[in-house]
Amino acid sequence: MHVAALPRLRYGRRKVRPGQQRRVPPGPLRPTDRRGCGRPRTGEEAPEASDDASELRDAGRRLGRRHLQVALLSLGLSLAYSCRVNLSVCIVEMTNMNSTSGFPAYDWNQSQTGLILSAFFWGYVVTQVPAGMLAQRYGPKQFLMVGVVGCSLLTILTPLVAAYGGWRLMCALRVCEGLFQGMIYPSSHTMLGRWIPPLERGRASAFVYSGTSLGTVSTMAGVGLLASSSWGWPSGFHLPGALGLVWGVAWLWLAADSPAACPAISEHEREYIESALGASSSGDKILRVPWRSIATSLPFFALLVTHLCQNFGHWILLTQMPNFMKNVLHFDVKHNGLNSALPYLCLLLSSFVVGYLAQVVNERKILSMTASRKVFNSMAHWGAGTALMVLAFTHVTSTQAVALLTVTVALESGTLAGFLVNHVDLSPNFGGMMMGVTNSIANTMGIIAPIFVSQIVGDANTSTQEELENGWSIVFMIAACVYFSGNLLFVLAGSAQVQPWNSPSPAESKKHQVSSAGAIS
């Protein structure tokens, strides 16, 4: 059969004979249509589609409901950290038998105070994994509420428990506080996975988790001032606890589990978030956790080890810095609190810088997402390790020691755009649960760190100044080595790509949802 050659299409207008109707060439795209869409413009469809796309872009640029969730999360973490670290400052005055403040002082030795400080983590590690699974299944809002409000109530009761129950009941109280706060981090990660588009995740994560720095700064400085005032050290527990209860009311009123569950969100912002997340997030759907795939994932293993090493150094500095400044640098309780707060003030400020830089690097694609995570994490861990090595091997003045500790802690902000958000990178669906797993294991360092320091440094009441300084040099050197080794594994084996096991097969998900529905009914 002879087939006539099709006429060649030319750019520009084609001459039409008198009385002949101009034909539109078939096909998905006309050569003269330079709008870049995949179909010819018909009627008013294209303008409407263009308007919708413009609205979505505007929704991405404007402040919206997702930013409110981020702000509430950051404030909640700030208050949770206030309730967590206030004891590190207050216990210096609580155990000062030479105090003339008129408030109770307790004759607890170094081992007993170490147990009290570490007891928080005995409960903290228990609820991490269950909270991550429950937040993914039932929504994170209620678990964040219970975590912050429950811990705030117990914080208010701390002075009474210390007065009538001694150090043993104090340990029990701190265990219960840990149980409540163990719900917070996994639930926060679940919120970020549901609310924040991938390109905004670095900045949002930096802002949310900078709340921990804000809580530490305000507590270290504020509690030190309160403890030296006429209100005494009990006010260092009452004020953070009361603020936590106020936050609970705001959270109950303004927060939502996801964009789909938020009645106040605009339609365009909801569509923007859901289209940006795409198929990587299941939203409110119940999915089976692929435990075997997660456990055998090399990027997840690198993430777990990095988190473990981060927390070892972090909790040594956070829980023991006031003791170092009192026993080695000889600061009183007021200056101790202020100087202990200075590193975390710098951490708070550097967190905003890191958040901005991460947003620029990721949006402009200066580095791949994986390279970006590794660069920021290396800045944090290798930079902090270098500063601790200098502190360990050189004889420095008190001012220089505070400066080196400030640099060490401030560089930690790099983790906000590094490993700390990597859980959601690997799996938006199971990021909260994965945070529960790594945070649970990593926070065993919160138990080990105070005991580790007390065993190496010894009792400040019986040790000489030289023995104390040598002991702290060993502590700083070991912490630096841990930072170096943990980040090396993250650089070699880490990834920011969504893993295949993030989306279970449709058959498995359907089977799991049916069985879950049967179990619930």
Side-chain angles (χ1 to χ4, degrees):
M1 180 185 296
H2 177 70
V3 180
L6 293 175
R8 183 177 178 182
L9 301 178
R10 299 179 182 274
Y11 289 92
R13 290 188 175 274
R14 184 182 176 185
K15 293 183 178 180
V16 182
R17 296 176 182 175
Q20 180 182 1
Q21 186 177 2
R22 186 165 178 251
R23 296 175 58 192
V24 177
L29 182 64
R30 290 167 47 191
T32 54
D33 191 348
R34 301 181 185 181
R35 293 174 291 111
C37 61
R39 57 180 177 174
R41 177 171 174 171
T42 58
E44 295 299 320
E45 286 186 25
E48 288 180 3
S50 177
D51 291 343
D52 290 342
S54 177
E55 288 289 347
L56 289 180
R57 285 194 300 270
D58 291 342
R61 298 189 186 104
R62 289 195 300 260
L63 289 177
R65 208 68 183 181
R66 68 189 184 283
H67 299 102
L68 178 60
Q69 309 303 306
V70 166
L72 288 171
L73 279 173
S74 182
L75 186 58
L77 282 172
S78 173
L79 293 169
Y81 249 65
S82 294
C83 295
R84 183 189 303 195
V85 305
N86 54 1
L87 184 62
S88 298
V89 179
C90 286
I91 203 166
V92 175
E93 188 66 13
M94 290 169 71
T95 57
N96 184 6
M97 300 306 294
N98 299 319
S99 174
T100 58
S101 63
F103 291 93
Y106 306 104
D107 190 17
W108 299 334
N109 59 37
Q110 187 76 20
S111 298
Q112 290 168 343
T113 56
L115 286 172
I116 293 171
L117 289 171
S118 65
F120 174 92
F121 299 95
W122 304 349
Y124 190 67
V125 300
V126 171
T127 50
Q128 294 281 329
V129 177
M133 296 176 65
L134 291 171
Q136 190 272 330
R137 185 183 182 106
Y138 298 110
K141 176 182 175 179
Q142 57 191 325
F143 296 102
L144 277 161
M145 173 83 175
V146 171
V148 176
V149 171
C151 184
S152 298
L153 288 171
L154 293 179
T155 299
I156 294 173
L157 297 175
T158 300
L160 288 176
V161 171
Y164 295 104
W167 70 271
R168 291 181 178 84
L169 195 57
M170 277 291 294
C171 285
L173 176 80
R174 294 290 288 179
V175 170
C176 293
E177 287 186 6
L179 288 170
F180 280 114
Q181 287 215 18
M183 304 179 188
I184 295 175
Y185 258 71
S187 301
S188 298
H189 252 50
T190 303
M191 286 285 288
L192 289 174
R194 293 184 176 189
W195 274 94
I196 307 301
L199 290 179
E200 297 182 14
R201 203 169 281 153
R203 182 176 60 186
S205 174
F207 188 82
V208 167
Y209 293 111
S210 67
T212 63
S213 305
L214 176 61
T216 304
V217 169
S218 59
T219 303
M220 292 282 192
V223 169
L225 293 173
L226 287 172
S228 61
S229 71
S230 58
W231 292 336
W233 61 260
S235 61
F237 297 101
H238 294 153
L239 183 59
L243 292 175
L245 299 181
V246 174
W247 176 90
V249 175
W251 178 258
L252 185 64
W253 179 36
L254 298 171
D257 286 318
S258 66
C262 181
I265 192 172
S266 70
E267 186 69 18
H268 290 297
E269 185 184 10
R270 183 185 63 78
E271 289 179 1
Y272 165 72
I273 295 171
E274 291 177 350
S275 62
L277 292 174
S280 65
S281 176
S282 64
D284 298 329
K285 294 179 182 177
I286 299 173
L287 298 177
R288 183 182 66 86
V289 180
W291 289 110
R292 180 179 298 179
S293 299
I294 294 174
T296 56
S297 169
L298 183 58
F300 175 74
F301 178 73
L303 173 60
L304 172 61
V305 173
T306 306
H307 200 163
L308 193 71
C309 295
Q310 155 69 18
N311 276 31
F312 180 79
H314 174 80
W315 287 117
I316 283 178
L317 293 172
L318 188 58
T319 62
Q320 298 301 310
M321 195 185 302
N323 284 332
F324 172 74
M325 291 189 174
K326 176 191 175 185
N327 299 323
V328 177
L329 304 183
H330 304 293
F331 293 135
D332 58 31
V333 63
K334 180 178 179 180
H335 292 91
N336 190 340
L338 292 173
N339 284 292
S340 296
L342 179 61
Y344 294 95
L345 175 60
C346 293
L347 173 60
L348 175 63
L349 298 176
S350 62
S351 297
F352 296 113
V353 176
V354 166
Y356 172 76
L357 290 177
Q359 187 78 2
V360 171
V361 168
N362 295 335
E363 283 188 344
R364 298 183 182 178
K365 302 188 185 301
I366 297 173
L367 296 171
S368 68
M369 192 66 74
T370 297
S372 172
R373 300 290 186 240
K374 293 178 180 180
V375 166
F376 281 107
N377 210 74
S378 297
M379 177 190 74
H381 283 184
W382 287 347
T386 302
L388 287 177
M389 280 293 187
V390 174
L391 187 58
F393 287 105
T394 60
H395 184 73
V396 296
T397 65
S398 297
T399 302
Q400 292 169 336
V402 172
L404 286 169
L405 288 172
T406 299
V407 170
T408 301
V409 174
L411 287 174
E412 191 178 308
S413 60
T415 63
L416 299 175
F419 89 91
L420 195 58
V421 73
N422 194 227
H423 307 74
V424 185
D425 291 332
L426 298 178
S427 177
N429 284 331
F430 304 111
M433 185 278 302
M434 290 163 58
M435 169 56 85
V437 172
T438 65
N439 210 30
S440 177
I441 297 173
N443 273 288
T444 57
M445 295 298 102
I447 300 172
I448 294 171
I451 300 173
F452 166 78
V453 171
S454 64
Q455 292 300 313
I456 291 181
V457 174
D459 194 335
N461 297 322
T462 58
S463 300
T464 65
Q465 183 68 20
E466 183 178 359
E467 289 173 338
L468 288 173
E469 290 178 356
N470 290 337
W472 276 103
S473 293
I474 295 172
V475 168
F476 291 142
M477 179 186 66
I478 293 174
C481 292
V482 170
Y483 274 139
F484 283 129
S485 58
N487 188 67
L488 180 61
L489 180 61
F490 188 70
V491 169
L492 295 176
S495 174
Q497 299 298 314
V498 176
Q499 299 300 293
W501 39 263
N502 174 63
S503 301
S505 64
E508 290 179 341
S509 298
K510 184 176 181 180
K511 179 180 178 182
H512 179 63
Q513 289 183 32
V514 170
S515 62
S516 299
I520 293 171
S521 61

